[in-house]
Amino acid sequence: MTDFTALAAAAAPAAPVGPGLLGFLVVAAIGVALYFLVKSMNRQISKIEVPHEEDLAKREASEPAPGPESASTSTPGESGSGRRADGTH
């Protein structure tokens, strides 16, 4: 067993192995892409218009309450599903 470890230590390269230039460039590219994605996301989020609670309260107060006349006047067989009221096609 000690012979194997001695051979492994002798065969080890003199220079340390690291990610190198390619690893740095990949990480840098991911960072640049992340920067532009966050910038775009902030631009899209700023376009969203959120109504204030005061506006919602005014809208609810101005809309009439739904009554029975606003309900659907279709018969059960006319639901548009292709089925008759008795359950057949």
Side-chain angles (χ1 to χ4, degrees), residues 35-50:
Y35 170 78
F36 285 113
L37 284 171
V38 169
K39 187 175 177 181
S40 173
M41 180 189 65
N42 284 335
R43 192 177 321 128
Q44 296 298 325
I45 288 176
S46 67
K47 290 180 183 179
I48 297 174
E49 294 181 14
V50 180

Side-chain angles (χ1 to χ4, degrees), residues 15-42:
V17 178
L21 180 63
L22 181 63
F24 172 75
L25 291 177
V26 168
V27 171
I30 290 172
V32 169
L34 180 65
Y35 170 78
F36 285 113
L37 284 171
V38 169
K39 187 175 177 181
S40 173
M41 180 189 65
N42 284 335

Side-chain angles (χ1 to χ4, degrees), residues 50-79:
V50 180
H52 297 285
E53 285 193 32
E54 299 165 351
D55 296 336
L56 292 175
K58 288 179 185 177
R59 184 183 303 165
E60 288 177 0
S62 66
E63 291 179 355
E69 62 274 354
S70 66
S72 175
T73 58
S74 66
T75 60
E78 297 177 359
S79 63

